Amino acid sequence: MAYTIVAALVLAVMFLSFERGKATSKEVALVAVMSAAAAMGRVVFAALPNVQATTFIAMVSGYVMGPESGFMVGAAAALVSNFFMGQGPWTPWQMLAWGLAGASAGLIKRIFPGIGRLGMTFYCLLWGYFFGWIMNLWYWSSFVRPLNINAFIAACISSIWFDSFHAAGNAILYYYFGEGFIKVLKRFYRRMKVTVRYE
Amino acid sequence: MEELFYHEKGLFLQKLHPAASLAYICTLLVLTLIFTNPFYLAGLFFCTGLSVWMLEGLETWELFLKGGLFMTVPIMIINPLVSKAGATILWRGPSLPVFGEITVSMEAVFYGAVMSLRLLDVISIFCLYNIMVHPDKAMNMLERFAFKSALVLSLATRMFPAMIRHLENIKEIQLVRGVDFSGGTFKQKINKYTNLIYILLLSSLEDSMEIAEAMHARAFGSGRRTRYVRDSIKPADSVCLAAAAAALLTGAWGTVKGYGVMNFYPRLGPAYSRGDMRMLALLLSMLSIPSLLSWGWRYCRYFR
Amino acid sequence: MPIFQVKNVSYYYPESEKPALKDINISVDEGEFLLVAGGSGSGKSTLARVLAGLVPDFYGGIFSGRVLFKGRDIRGMDRRKLSRHVGMVFQDPEKQLVKTEAEAEIAFGLENLGLPQQEMLRRVAEAMDFLDLAEVKGRFIDKLSGGQKQKVALASVLAMQPEAIILDEPTSQLDPACAEEFFNLIKRLNEEMGKTVILIEQRLERCFHLADRVAVMKDGKLIIEGAPREVAAKSVAGGMPFIPPVARFFAAMGFPDIPATVKEGRGILKKCLPLHNADEESLGSAGSVEKIGDKSGDVISLKKVWFSYNDKKEVLRDINLRVFPGEFAAILGANGAGKSTLLKIMAGLLHPDRGRVFFQGEECGNKGEIFREKRVAYLAQNPNDYLLQDTVEQELAFTIKNFNIPDDGRIDRLLGEMDLKRHRNKNPRDLSSGERQRVALASVLVTHPSLVLLDEPTRGMDYALKAALGEYLEGLCSSQLCVVMVTHDVEFAAEYAKRVIILHDGKIVSDGSAKQVLGNSMFYSTQMARMCRGFAADILTVEDAMETLAPLLSQNYKLALERGLW
């Protein structure tokens, strides 16, 4: 119960931080398109075991557009795709996990601007595991007693293969496509600011 | 996947104001997460099922429960393995590095079973949400607090099925250009599929500018905006809202008083007491009000 | 006072060297219906965006000159005020709807204006009633048809109660029947509600007669402006292709009074020519199917093909079709008739539930992807979906590499044939829309296919691009190869296709030479055919008419003038 409340609070805070500031049509449209594309990441790779391009796209968005938008892309991708696939108790946790993946990519860009291709690849790899652990959290916190670290480790060990596929997929995606996606997205992100010269 | 999971059937429970239906669902969820008494959990399961039935969603529920049963397996395994608090030891296993000596106690097995029931409850409540609340209505509620986020969500929801169709077209084009999706290594497959997303992204980003332009032309972001309200609160909504609130308060008060909470360790506490049952009956009668109204709406004209 | 005055406007998009608009001067009167025509890249859409205040506000760039709305410079105007007075409907309904439901969509603009609830309720209801949208209320917006979506987009603009409505090729994504209906709505807006309408179009068959005034743009400049009849005469004299066939024909004939509709055209013909009995003539040939081209061996043949998606209603029913080398066939039909499905079956992307498909005499197995072994080229609707590589050349190389075909200089040859050589090392996404389509086409033609399939290749194209495409496809057919295309564009089919197949509800209802099928059909027919029906047979295009009808007409016209019948 306590973990659920914390998760809900984090979601609320992040949503509100996205609300801050003036809404421009370009920003809303760009974030929405990236969210829908990230949601596609769940659909496209259905044929491959637990490759989740959603994580990758949310992280790329966060990297280019900043933590708030990155969070929104990840969270919206989870919620929107589940409108079609069915909402479940996993929804809020997916929103949280993908949202945080996006937000963290934005943060790491701010903290280490020169992180580079390999650094980001490694970071994406890590998020494959983080995602799995966050998803284990709800399961473990709601249905397992006593709440000790051993029990959590047990839950994580039981999903390690699954998470490794996710992590490997993330790393391959970022290594081969990361720079390309970022370049394209940056071009559009720049177009959000316009200057007019009257003559 | 191009269709919303929700299907409009025009049923009473679907027509409830989102505030009422969300309050009802949240109440069920909160109660499920605070009670540990199996009778209470079974009662909540029954109430949820009643609403699902009223929404003609038994088939969907079956699907959710099947998936849910699968998810209960780790609960049944992990709980006995990690808990050492139970007094009635059924089996003593070998010693493992992180976990120490493995013991399986009857209390822990029982706890696993009750938690599995709780999981099925949670799954059922989400199933109920899926068939009861139109995504639009949920987003309208969100719009009150966070209109920018709500707009992102509605825009993305609108684009989702169109993007799926677009992806199919892109895949067909890659097929006729000789791309073999079934062959290749793990890495090559990822490359082929990611190309699809990349093409989709290139087109969609262009589209995002056009969408933004259409929003701009309709005065988006030109100043303070108002909110168009479509749902109005009807008497039935107030009744359901009140029932949910009352159940929540009663439940919270009950927990403080020790009702609905069972002790598992070191020995199983009593699950059944006269007070507990009275309390449960009260709660269940409150929580079945929406279902009863729904039944009455259909079969008894005095309810209208 | 005019509602819009554009004074000396020139404009450059950001990072662009070429001006999108050059010294534009035009004014629009209150309640007027102005039609702005021009090819792709002529600046007509940019002009629309200038009037709506989107250029330069939304796009940035360099702007000079002044735009006045009712005498006030819109540069200083509050954006909210401007969007309340000027509404804009865009090309693609998919790209302007933001909500998941129609009612919320219509309310969106009103919410942005900050109107009170009561006012919004009234306006939403009015807009829905006016456009007859009651049936779509509450439905998921993605499930609506293209025509319905565009109506919702129009309603969402109308609800804001603008005085002027600007429409940027609003029907380019709709099929002909929906387009017709949409234009009728616009006409009502102008005539019954007194709204000023500025319509941007490049295909004028359906809207030329609606306008009070027509302006033609080219290369960012306004080159002709005036009443439709005047513009028709002037543009034919100047060799401009924007005028609909009937007007073009009479303007070319040098008639003083140029008709804009089929009805008016027939009126003139009636005065000059005797009417034959049409029924007797056509009955004889209607049933028989004439085969064109080399009959020795078919490229593809479909035998009793049935198809349905996910075991739902049958989309194709008992299709029998043979296509021969050298043929250029067009498949016409309403939306949902199964045209695209038929094309995908021929491409091997879908497999029939029942029936058999033979490619060059060999039967295609159920999973035999014929495009892989036998080289079928398939060009889908959106050429952008083909563009993945960094250069045009790589785009072609990608395909042959997938098929393990060695490059025997074929890339070079094809780039030359398609006039793409100078773009060889450019990013295909940086090219113009016509060039992008050529790159997409080249990327599938590079395998040297014997069957080329195209799905609505002319959607959104202007006259010049269409002519170039048509001629290229005609040229392709002469060799070992046949072309089958699905299209809504009857005029294009009439001009270039030799064979026409009409599909209705999954069945082939008509199949024969273009002259036969289009000449006899009431709906799937060209403007010229409809106008000439009963006066002369076998006329589909202006060129046909110039050949057979013109001599007769000019003779009789002189006689009629002498007898004072005019």
Side-chain angles (χ1 to χ4, degrees):
Chain A
M1 190 70 196
Y3 286 86
T4 315
I5 292 169
V6 171
L9 279 178
V10 173
L11 279 175
V13 167
M14 291 307 286
F15 268 65
L16 287 179
S17 71
F18 178 74
E19 287 300 310
R20 262 188 338 183
K22 208 164 152 269
T24 71
S25 55
K26 284 175 194 160
E27 184 196 3
V28 168
L30 195 58
V31 171
V33 160
M34 289 311 288
S35 310
M40 287 302 109
R42 296 185 73 183
V43 180
V44 174
F45 289 94
L48 296 176
N50 204 34
V51 174
Q52 306 272 7
T54 310
T55 321
F56 164 69
I57 295 174
M59 290 181 78
V60 164
S61 310
Y63 187 84
V64 176
M65 302 194 282
E68 293 85 6
S69 299
F71 188 90
M72 197 60 209
V73 168
L79 186 62
V80 166
S81 56
N82 285 336
F83 278 139
F84 297 85
M85 301 174 180
Q87 308 283 2
W90 47 83
T91 305
W93 298 90
Q94 280 174 342
M95 288 171 71
L96 187 70
W98 273 321
L100 287 178
S104 74
L107 276 180
I108 206 157
K109 167 82 182 306
R110 275 188 199 168
I111 301 167
F112 307 105
I115 181 164
R117 182 177 177 188
L118 282 176
M120 271 308 281
T121 304
F122 183 67
Y123 195 54
C124 284
L125 183 98
L126 284 184
W127 261 102
Y129 292 102
F130 292 165
F131 181 88
W133 296 344
I134 294 176
M135 293 308 289
N136 287 339
L137 203 61
W138 78 270
Y139 192 80
W140 165 77
S141 68
S142 314
F143 306 111
V144 178
R145 288 290 178 282
L147 285 179
N148 59 31
I149 190 71
N150 285 353
F152 185 61
I153 290 172
C156 291
I157 286 175
S158 66
S159 69
I160 190 123
W161 276 111
F162 203 60
D163 295 338
S164 295
F165 272 111
H166 186 174
N170 278 354
I172 294 176
L173 279 167
Y174 192 87
Y175 190 77
Y176 290 102
F177 291 94
E179 315 263 277
F181 273 64
I182 285 173
K183 204 177 92 195
V184 170
L185 189 54
K186 263 189 182 153
R187 202 172 78 218
F188 279 89
Y189 191 61
R190 270 203 302 271
R191 269 168 65 178
M192 279 176 41
K193 288 185 202 71
V194 298
T195 46
V196 187
R197 208 173 86 213
Y198 288 98
E199 282 185 345
Chain B
M1 235 186 285
E2 284 175 40
E3 307 223 2
L4 286 177
F5 197 87
Y6 173 92
H7 285 285
E8 183 64 53
K9 296 169 189 159
L11 298 169
F12 172 81
L13 287 178
Q14 291 185 318
K15 284 194 274 187
L16 280 183
H17 190 278
S21 41
L22 287 175
Y24 177 60
I25 285 166
C26 286
T27 300
L28 283 173
L29 194 63
V30 169
L31 292 181
T32 304
L33 291 178
I34 58 176
F35 290 141
T36 47
N37 185 319
F39 288 108
Y40 278 66
L41 291 176
L44 289 169
F45 189 74
F46 170 76
C47 271
T48 313
L50 205 60
S51 301
V52 170
W53 183 42
M54 283 298 143
L55 283 157
E56 301 171 0
L58 290 181
E59 280 171 29
T60 317
W61 195 26
E62 201 184 322
L63 283 179
F64 268 76
L65 286 183
K66 273 183 189 159
L69 276 176
F70 183 71
M71 290 167 71
T72 60
V73 176
I75 298 181
M76 303 282 257
I77 297 172
I78 293 179
N79 267 307
L81 284 185
V82 298
S83 166
K84 297 185 178 64
T88 323
I89 305 293
L90 297 176
W91 181 73
R92 246 174 236 287
S95 191
L96 289 181
V98 183
F99 303 100
E101 193 191 16
I102 300 290
T103 56
V104 175
S105 63
M106 191 196 57
E107 286 80 7
V109 171
F110 191 72
Y111 184 80
V114 173
M115 286 303 113
S116 298
L117 180 58
R118 178 190 266 181
L119 179 84
L120 293 180
D121 266 3
V122 173
I123 294 270
S124 307
I125 292 165
F126 274 92
C127 170
L128 177 66
Y129 168 82
N130 275 309
I131 56 178
M132 183 166 167
V133 186
H134 194 297
D136 270 358
K137 289 188 169 180
M139 283 190 276
N140 284 347
M141 288 299 288
L142 180 66
E143 212 179 87
R144 283 167 201 258
F145 313 106
F147 97 90
K148 210 162 115 186
S149 313
L151 189 58
V152 166
L153 289 174
S154 83
L155 200 45
T157 308
R158 209 229 355 104
M159 285 187 284
F160 186 89
M163 275 202 189
I164 288 194
R165 287 193 294 273
H166 196 168
L167 264 179
E168 275 163 18
N169 290 338
I170 295 172
K171 190 173 178 189
E172 282 174 351
I173 286 166
Q174 294 278 300
L175 277 172
V176 289
R177 289 178 69 189
V179 176
D180 176 14
F181 282 93
S182 55
T185 61
F186 184 66
K187 199 195 94 193
Q188 283 168 337
K189 275 188 187 163
I190 289 189
N191 277 328
K192 284 171 197 162
Y193 284 109
T194 313
N195 277 341
L196 302 183
I197 294 201
Y198 188 64
I199 298 175
L200 179 79
L201 195 71
L202 288 174
S203 303
S204 307
L205 285 173
E206 288 289 345
D207 295 352
S208 84
M209 286 293 143
E210 290 180 44
I211 293 166
E213 192 182 13
M215 287 161 66
H216 190 91
R218 278 189 278 155
F220 181 77
S222 69
R224 201 188 59 84
R225 74 199 293 279
T226 45
R227 213 170 62 81
Y228 180 70
V229 185
R230 276 184 292 167
D231 308 296
S232 50
I233 300 247
K234 305 176 291 294
D237 296 320
S238 315
V239 174
C240 292
L241 202 57
L248 188 64
L249 287 176
T250 316
W253 176 80
T255 331
V256 173
K257 291 278 166 192
Y259 291 119
V261 188
M262 187 178 156
N263 282 325
F264 292 91
Y265 301 118
R267 284 178 195 289
L268 294 178
Y272 177 88
S273 77
R274 189 161 281 231
D276 251 335
M277 286 307 114
R278 246 187 244 135
M279 174 80 190
L280 179 60
L282 182 66
L283 269 178
L284 291 189
S285 51
M286 288 172 181
L287 287 172
S288 358
I289 285 175
S291 301
L292 280 176
L293 283 179
S294 168
W295 179 86
W297 195 262
R298 187 182 277 187
Y299 297 108
C300 176
R301 65 192 177 90
Y302 298 109
F303 275 77
R304 293 206 174 213
Chain C
M1 183 193 288
I3 191 161
F4 282 113
Q5 285 166 284
V6 179
K7 293 183 174 168
N8 302 322
V9 165
S10 295
Y11 172 69
Y12 293 79
Y13 279 104
E15 292 162 40
S16 166
E17 311 267 291
K18 221 176 113 227
L21 295 176
K22 271 186 260 180
D23 264 329
I24 302 284
N25 282 292
I26 191 170
S27 75
V28 185
D29 283 328
E30 183 121 38
E32 197 180 7
F33 191 134
L34 173 70
L35 176 63
V36 183
S40 336
S42 62
K44 58 187 190 314
S45 290
T46 310
L47 178 61
R49 282 162 174 76
V50 166
L51 298 178
L54 292 165
V55 161
D57 259 21
F58 183 83
Y59 284 93
I62 305 168
F63 188 89
S64 62
R66 296 207 314 154
V67 183
L68 306 182
F69 177 77
K70 291 186 158 178
R72 285 185 57 196
D73 195 331
I74 63 170
R75 187 178 156 189
M77 258 171 101
D78 178 26
R79 186 151 80 79
R80 182 173 273 194
K81 207 172 234 166
L82 184 66
S83 37
R84 200 158 54 204
H85 294 303
V86 184
M88 178 145 178
V89 178
F90 297 83
Q91 269 193 32
D92 191 345
E94 293 286 346
K95 294 170 198 162
Q96 51 187 319
L97 302 179
V98 298
K99 293 283 191 162
T100 47
E101 195 266 335
E103 197 182 345
E105 184 68 45
I106 297 168
F108 177 72
L110 309 179
E111 293 176 317
N112 293 336
L113 291 178
L115 296 178
Q117 169 80 3
Q118 273 310 315
E119 178 71 9
M120 287 197 276
L121 277 174
R122 187 178 63 77
R123 288 195 186 189
V124 170
E126 277 183 4
M128 290 189 102
D129 286 348
F130 179 75
L131 293 174
D132 197 18
L133 286 168
E135 53 166 340
V136 306
K137 197 171 163 176
R139 281 173 60 194
F140 186 34
I141 227 163
D142 181 67
K143 293 281 149 209
L144 308 185
S145 71
Q148 285 171 326
K149 281 182 193 162
Q150 195 62 305
K151 264 162 82 176
V152 172
L154 178 62
S156 70
V157 169
L158 275 187
M160 296 170 81
Q161 303 189 342
E163 289 159 58
I165 297 178
I166 302 164
L167 304 109
D168 183 13
E169 296 188 49
T171 63
S172 67
Q173 305 296 318
L174 309 183
D175 69 59
C178 291
E180 195 86 56
E181 192 194 339
F182 197 80
F183 281 131
N184 287 334
L185 282 172
I186 297 173
K187 190 177 151 202
R188 272 179 67 200
L189 282 180
N190 180 246
E191 286 179 358
E192 291 170 28
M193 302 179 64
K195 305 269 184 204
T196 308
V197 171
I198 296 157
L199 175 66
I200 316 293
E201 264 299 333
Q202 54 187 5
R203 294 163 65 176
L204 310 182
E205 288 88 6
R206 290 191 179 74
C207 54
F208 194 68
H209 59 284
L210 301 176
D212 299 319
R213 199 150 58 99
V214 180
V216 181
M217 292 188 69
K218 193 184 177 186
D219 295 330
K221 279 187 278 200
L222 210 57
I223 50 168
I224 308 174
E225 192 199 325
R229 286 157 214 275
E230 259 172 69
V231 170
K234 276 189 205 162
S235 23
V236 168
M240 305 289 276
F242 301 106
I243 308 310
V246 167
R248 197 160 74 218
F249 174 67
F250 284 100
M253 293 283 300
F255 272 60
D257 191 21
I258 295 167
T261 62
V262 169
K263 182 179 164 185
E264 289 169 20
R266 283 184 74 85
I268 296 179
L269 291 186
K270 228 177 256 168
K271 287 181 189 160
C272 305
L273 297 171
L275 191 68
H276 298 294
N277 194 342
D279 292 345
E280 284 172 22
E281 236 175 77
S282 55
L283 271 181
S285 58
S288 71
V289 175
E290 170 200 348
K291 289 272 184 304
I292 310 144
D294 181 10
K295 316 287 188 302
S296 55
D298 46 27
V299 176
I300 191 163
S301 91
L302 276 66
K303 295 208 168 115
K304 297 190 172 168
V305 165
W306 293 69
F307 183 82
S308 63
Y309 289 99
N310 311 325
D311 300 320
K312 284 188 191 134
K313 191 180 156 278
E314 259 117 7
V315 183
L316 293 180
R317 300 184 292 145
D318 199 22
I319 298 283
N320 288 296
L321 181 66
R322 299 174 75 194
V323 188
F324 298 92
E327 267 189 338
F328 186 169
I331 303 176
L332 302 177
N335 268 358
K339 302 186 300 294
S340 294
T341 308
L342 179 58
L343 209 63
K344 282 183 185 171
I345 291 218
M346 292 166 91
L349 285 166
L350 298 172
H351 304 291
D353 298 340
R354 264 178 291 159
R356 302 156 81 183
V357 180
F358 296 88
F359 192 83
Q360 292 178 335
E362 255 176 72
E363 177 152 17
C364 306
N366 250 0
K367 67 176 186 60
E369 287 117 317
I370 47 174
F371 44 80
R372 210 157 279 164
E373 297 148 31
K374 306 286 173 57
R375 316 278 143 77
V376 177
Y378 169 75
L379 186 70
Q381 266 180 37
N382 186 354
N384 289 340
D385 290 348
Y386 286 76
L387 310 179
L388 168 69
Q389 311 293 331
D390 289 332
T391 69
V392 170
E393 187 176 2
Q394 281 172 22
E395 208 62 72
L396 273 64
F398 175 75
T399 310
I400 57 174
K401 197 183 123 229
N402 288 329
F403 284 114
N404 291 321
I405 302 171
D407 180 15
D408 43 7
R410 57 172 76 202
I411 290 183
D412 218 45
R413 275 202 304 278
L414 193 58
L415 287 179
E417 270 173 44
M418 301 193 81
D419 192 23
L420 287 168
K421 254 196 175 140
R422 62 209 152 92
H423 300 310
R424 138 176 254 159
N425 291 318
K426 282 192 195 156
N427 188 327
R429 292 204 174 244
D430 294 337
L431 303 177
S432 73
S433 65
E435 288 161 343
R436 271 181 292 185
Q437 194 193 37
R438 286 214 298 281
V439 174
L441 189 56
S443 80
V444 288
L445 287 181
V446 70
T447 61
H448 292 178
S450 28
L451 175 62
V452 177
L453 304 166
L454 305 109
D455 198 350
E456 291 208 43
T458 60
R459 178 175 269 201
M461 287 179 112
D462 68 12
Y463 286 95
L465 289 174
K466 267 162 58 172
L469 177 73
E471 274 155 31
Y472 183 77
L473 292 176
E474 256 182 342
L476 271 183
C477 290
S478 50
S479 47
Q480 277 292 308
L481 179 153
C482 59
V483 175
V484 179
M485 70 170 175
V486 157
T487 187
H488 282 304
D489 192 338
V490 181
E491 304 284 343
F492 183 74
E495 192 107 20
Y496 299 101
K498 297 288 168 295
R499 176 175 171 189
V500 170
I501 297 154
I502 294 178
L503 215 57
H504 173 75
D505 196 17
K507 278 190 111 117
I508 293 180
V509 291
S510 187
D511 180 0
S513 75
K515 289 231 155 80
Q516 244 177 27
V517 175
L518 298 180
N520 288 323
S521 162
M522 181 186 71
F523 184 72
Y524 294 104
S525 187
T526 62
Q527 255 199 334
M528 290 307 286
R530 271 177 274 181
M531 188 184 77
C532 300
R533 181 160 302 150
F535 294 108
D538 283 351
I539 289 178
L540 293 182
T541 60
V542 176
E543 286 70 36
D544 292 343
M546 291 305 280
E547 222 169 89
T548 53
L549 200 60
L552 210 63
L553 195 59
S554 52
Q555 211 177 357
N556 289 357
Y557 170 57
K558 275 182 206 131
L559 277 175
L561 273 184
E562 279 162 23
R563 286 187 214 144
L565 279 172
W566 208 255

